[in-house]
Amino acid sequence: MRELVCIVCPRGCTMHIDGEGENITVTGNTCKRGAQFAISEMTKPMRTICTTVRTIFPEVPVLPVRVSEEIPKNKIFDVMQEINKTVLSKPVGRGDVVISKVCGLSADIIATSNVLNEMNKQGEKK
């Protein structure tokens, strides 16, 4: 039996998970989403990443980015290695793809800020 604290909602139910594969039972959850989370954690844990990527622009040395969808938990360090190797040399905007299909996954690394585009627009006006 494993114990797991649910992170789906602020309630933070302490759940007990028994079994393996198709025969998993969850107790302690107060909603269906908690049980779904526990089963997912036991069979195929997924995570999201929010971080920054370096740029060549002194005014904006780093830009916030995130994965476009959840990725397998065991790929976090591989994805972070790719992000850490990346240096943006052109302005991008919120939602623009910074790294396509990172590490062969279906997830892209996307920008979450317009600061580089705004900086570029202001530079063009001068």
Side-chain angles (χ1 to χ4, degrees):
M1 180 180 289
R2 282 200 56 194
E3 189 174 278
L4 182 67
V5 175
C6 184
I7 61 169
V8 175
C9 78
R11 185 172 280 159
C13 297
T14 300
M15 299 180 293
H16 296 84
I17 301 97
D18 226 355
E20 292 180 7
E22 298 289 318
N23 300 318
I24 295 177
T25 58
V26 180
T27 57
N29 57 301
T30 56
C31 69
K32 288 181 186 178
R33 292 184 325 165
Q36 292 167 344
F37 168 74
I39 291 169
S40 173
E41 269 305 286
M42 301 311 295
T43 58
K44 187 179 177 192
M46 302 291 279
R47 295 292 185 272
T48 188
I49 296 175
C50 297
T51 187
T52 56
V53 66
R54 290 177 292 172
T55 80
I56 63 165
F57 306 101
E59 308 85 15
V60 184
V62 293
L63 186 77
V65 295
R66 68 174 174 85
V67 290
S68 60
E69 60 188 55
E70 289 185 325
I71 61 169
K73 183 179 175 183
N74 65 353
K75 294 290 186 182
I76 290 174
F77 291 108
D78 297 334
V79 169
M80 283 304 301
Q81 276 186 321
E82 289 303 309
I83 291 170
N84 290 336
K85 289 193 288 189
T86 301
V87 179
L88 289 176
S89 59
K90 63 179 184 170
V92 296
R94 183 179 299 121
D96 289 348
V97 175
V98 174
I99 305 172
S100 180
K101 309 297 182 219
V102 65
C103 295
L105 301 169
S106 60
D108 298 325
I109 303 302
I110 59 173
T112 60
S113 171
N114 276 327
V115 69
L116 286 179
N117 267 350
E118 295 300 320
M119 181 187 72
N120 190 44
K121 286 177 187 174
Q122 293 203 354
E124 290 174 356
K125 289 180 183 177
K126 291 182 180 179

